[in-house]
Amino acid sequence: MLALRLARGTHPLVLLRRLLVAAASAGVGFLLLCTLGHAVAHPGGSVPRLLWCAVPLAATVHFAVAVARTDPSTRPRPGLSAVGLGPGRLTAIAAASTAVACTLGSTVALLVYLHLRGDITGLPFDGAAASLLTADQPLPPAAALTLLSVLPLTASAAAGLALRPRKEQPRPRPSGAERPPASVPAGLPWGITLITAGLAMETFASRGTPGSAIPMPGHPDSSPAGVLAGWVLTALGLAVAGPALTHLCGRLLQTARPGAARLLAGRVLMEEARRIGRPLGVVCAVASATIAAATLYGDEAGPHPFGPLTGLGAALVTGCSVATLLTAALESKHARGETTAALLRLGAPAKLLRASAALRAAALLALFGPVTWGIAELAALPLTG
């Protein structure tokens, strides 16, 4: 109830982000219900479909956590602890708000699914997708509710875990001869290892196993589960390596006698590497998967294993990844708001700030663009060779 009262007085942009979370959860719930309907009509053949549904589910959970992190109503403020709203209570409110938004989306997904099947009548498009959604088979209520509860529970648990109160360890003061240690992200070796493992697993899965549910070009018997696992490992590797690559962009911008704009842009990238690097790596993983899929199926004359549900899943993954990156960028902008205000008070022109932002975007594009394209080509090579 407190989460609902706080939602009434929030900024419209915050409400928009929560509605986007609800819309994404509605799409995931609809995909899960479609998978359940296919499993009822074709017992034993829906495990690959359920595995593919895990990708948009993970993207939606990632987006929900990012929205909960930037929610101003769950930030600790002076005086709230006196009325019983300490850091632990605010974390619980953030988890409850995430659960409410995801539950709303799951409810909408159930109503739309039943309406398109023809189980709910009296509205336009009654039973418009009855053949696609196997309306001739009864839908198990317990299984449907179980699948629809997966996303709200997972998203609320992830939001609570990400926003849980942490005890800050006191940092020892360095002596006069010592320099403070760098805050350098150390995930680049692990990221490269995960990317290599993902590409190797995809190569092994492309050798082929009889009875594949999703044929691949060049390897009709390749295992879709193995290919999915390889792509997931590659995406995790890019997400882990993203902060280190962003930090590297900041260092490169400050080389060779930088001016004020390059120096400011490099410092900002180094400071915000952990916040924006991970969602940027996820966006690169989604872009590389899109390029690889276009390479695989772009020149194929035969039937493609794509349909409206596949398009919905791809749209969910892409939209949630981009929205998460934009949310992280907005959080980064708010985090350095005091620094920006101080620069303006000191007489820094607004043109300098705009030039710094343009340099940051250009540097990230110049580094992550070739990395994304190269990984996409390597991911498509085992399946097309």
Side-chain angles (χ1 to χ4, degrees):
M1 185 61 67
L2 180 58
L4 293 177
R5 289 182 178 179
L6 290 176
R8 293 177 54 189
T10 53
H11 194 271
L13 184 59
V14 179
L15 292 178
L16 177 61
R17 292 200 293 263
R18 292 178 182 175
L19 288 178
L20 289 177
V21 172
S25 61
V28 174
F30 188 81
L31 288 178
L32 291 174
L33 291 175
C34 292
T35 303
L36 177 61
H38 184 270
V40 171
H42 307 85
S46 295
V47 176
R49 291 173 176 262
L50 190 60
L51 290 176
W52 285 105
C53 288
V55 179
L57 188 145
T60 303
V61 170
H62 191 208
F63 177 46
V65 172
V67 170
R69 191 190 301 273
T70 57
D71 194 342
S73 63
T74 58
R75 295 175 184 171
R77 291 185 294 273
L80 290 181
S81 298
V83 294
L85 293 178
R89 186 69 179 276
L90 292 178
T91 301
I93 292 175
S97 301
T98 304
V100 168
C102 295
T103 303
L104 175 62
S106 299
T107 304
V108 172
L110 179 60
L111 295 177
V112 171
Y113 181 81
L114 295 177
H115 173 60
L116 293 179
R117 272 171 54 99
D119 296 334
I120 298 179
T121 59
L123 295 174
F125 306 104
D126 289 338
S131 58
L132 179 63
L133 303 180
T134 61
D136 56 337
Q137 299 290 335
L139 187 67
L145 294 179
T146 300
L147 284 178
L148 290 178
S149 64
V150 170
L151 180 59
L153 293 177
T154 305
S156 60
L161 186 63
L163 299 177
R164 70 187 186 278
R166 296 179 177 86
K167 295 183 179 180
E168 296 183 357
Q169 299 293 336
R171 298 181 179 179
R173 291 185 177 181
S175 61
E178 296 179 353
R179 301 179 64 182
S183 180
V184 180
L188 187 58
W190 287 105
I192 295 176
T193 303
L194 288 173
I195 292 173
T196 305
L199 295 175
M201 180 174 293
E202 183 185 349
T203 303
F204 179 78
S206 65
R207 294 180 178 180
T209 54
S212 173
I214 305 178
M216 298 289 179
H219 296 274
D221 292 333
S222 59
S223 171
V227 172
L228 176 62
W231 280 353
V232 168
L233 283 179
T234 303
L236 287 177
L238 283 171
V240 172
L245 293 177
T246 306
H247 192 274
L248 178 61
C249 283
R251 283 191 175 275
L252 292 178
L253 277 176
Q254 300 175 77
T255 57
R257 295 182 179 181
R262 280 204 295 147
L263 185 63
L264 180 60
R267 289 293 182 181
V268 169
L269 284 181
M270 291 175 64
E271 290 294 330
E272 303 297 333
R274 298 182 185 275
R275 182 177 285 114
I276 67 175
R278 190 160 298 168
L280 184 59
V282 174
V283 170
C284 291
V286 173
S288 64
T290 304
I291 296 173
T295 304
L296 289 176
Y297 299 103
D299 299 331
E300 189 186 8
H304 295 184
F306 296 127
L309 298 182
T310 307
L312 175 60
L316 284 173
V317 173
T318 304
C320 289
S321 302
V322 174
T324 303
L325 177 60
L326 294 178
T327 303
L330 183 62
E331 181 185 8
S332 174
K333 181 180 178 181
H334 288 319
R336 63 176 185 272
E338 296 182 358
T339 303
T340 303
L343 289 174
L344 293 176
R345 286 197 302 268
L346 291 175
K351 182 180 179 180
L352 174 65
L353 300 180
R354 291 193 295 268
S356 173
L359 284 174
R360 293 197 302 270
L364 292 175
L365 183 61
L367 180 62
F368 280 91
V371 170
T372 302
W373 186 268
I375 292 179
E377 294 295 328
L378 291 176
L381 184 62
L383 298 174
T384 57

